[in-house]
Amino acid sequence: MHFTEKKINRNDPCWCGSGKKYKNCHEAFDEKLKQYEIKGIEIPPRKIIKTPAQIEGIRESAKINIAVLDEVADKIRIGMTTEDIDKIVYDTTTKMGGIPAPLNYEGFPKSVCTSLNNVVCHGIPTDQEKLLDGDIINVDVSTIYNGYFSDSSRMFCMGDVDPAWKRLVDVTKECVQIGIEHAKPWTLLGDLGAAVHKHAVDNGYSVVREIGGHGCGVEFHEDPFVSYVSLPGTGMLLVPGMCFTIEPMVNMGTDEIFEDEYNGWTIYTDDDKPSAQWEVQVLITEDGCEVVTY
C-alpha cells in the first residue's frame, strides 16, 4: 500500500477512524487500491483520504467560506478598493468564528487574494487599487475553522465589461464545471485536467501550467497537485475521501506568466492580457463528488 504503509489486522479498528473493524470497513478498499498499484497507477496515501470526522470539519469550514464570498458578492461595487474587499473578508470570517487562511501564510500580508484583470493569482489588496468600470476581478477566499480548511474563489464583472473579457470569465466557469463532472472515483486525475484544458483551448484560450489546484482540508495545501494541462491516462487515482480544489487559471493570450519581483506573490500574464479563475473544493464520493465550496 503505498503498500509500505502500516499493515492492519482484520479485527483491528479501521485506520479511517470510523470505529468499525478494519475487515468491515476499508479492507476491501485497500485491496482494490493494491490492484491499481500493481498495474503501475499512482494511488493516494492514506493521509490524504479524509475520515468522516475530518469531512464534517471541512464542511463546517466551507459554510463560513461560502458565506464570506456571498457577503463580497453583495457588497462589491465600482469605486471600492481591494483593501475594502479585504476588510469585508476579515470581518465576516472572524465574526463567524473563522480565521482567514491567507493572513500571514508564508508572509502573505492580507486576508484574501484579489486578482484584477491581467493578474493571474495572488493579488494583494491595497487602498490604492480601485475597482473601475470594465474590470474583472477574482476574489479568492480561504478559511480555517476549528483547524479545518476550505477554499474557493469567484469572478466578478464590474459594470460595462468588454464582451470578449466576459466570455473569458464564462468559459473559465464552464471549465470548472467540466472538472466537477470528471471528479469521479476510480478515474485518473490526469483525465480531469485534460478535459478542462481541452475546453479552454477549444475556445481559443490557454491554461497556466505552473500553478493549479491542490488537496485541501486538514492543511491549506496538501497533495495532490491538480494540473489542468495534464494528459489523459495519467496522474493519481481518485478515490472516495479525497478532497481537493478545481481552479484552472485561464488566459486570453499566452500561458506565460511572471511573478512580481517586489512583493514576491502576485502573478501576472506575460502579455498583459486578462486572466480568469473560478475555484471550488470537491470531495470525491462513492459515485461522483460533493462540491464543498462554490
Side-chain angles (χ1 to χ4, degrees), residues 40 56 103 129 167 182 207 237 242 254 271 284:
E56 284 309 305
L103 188 59
E129 186 175 57
R167 181 173 177 271
H182 282 76
V207 182
L237 183 71
M242 290 177 66
T254 178
D271 57 9
I284 301 297

Side-chain angles (χ1 to χ4, degrees), residues 147-211:
Y148 293 101
F149 292 79
S150 53
D151 197 2
S152 62
S153 77
R154 299 179 194 171
M155 293 296 299
F156 298 97
C157 294
M158 309 309 299
D160 187 17
V161 172
D162 184 316
W165 290 31
K166 180 66 166 60
R167 181 173 177 271
L168 171 68
V169 170
D170 291 342
V171 169
T172 305
K173 192 172 187 179
E174 292 169 7
C175 285
V176 171
Q177 184 58 43
I178 287 170
I180 292 169
E181 292 167 1
H182 282 76
K184 298 182 290 188
W186 313 110
T187 64
L188 298 179
L189 190 55
D191 294 335
L192 183 158
V196 169
H197 186 253
K198 182 178 187 303
H199 188 69
V201 171
D202 285 351
N203 280 276
Y205 304 126
S206 66
V207 182
V208 172
R209 295 174 175 273
E210 297 90 337
I211 311 169

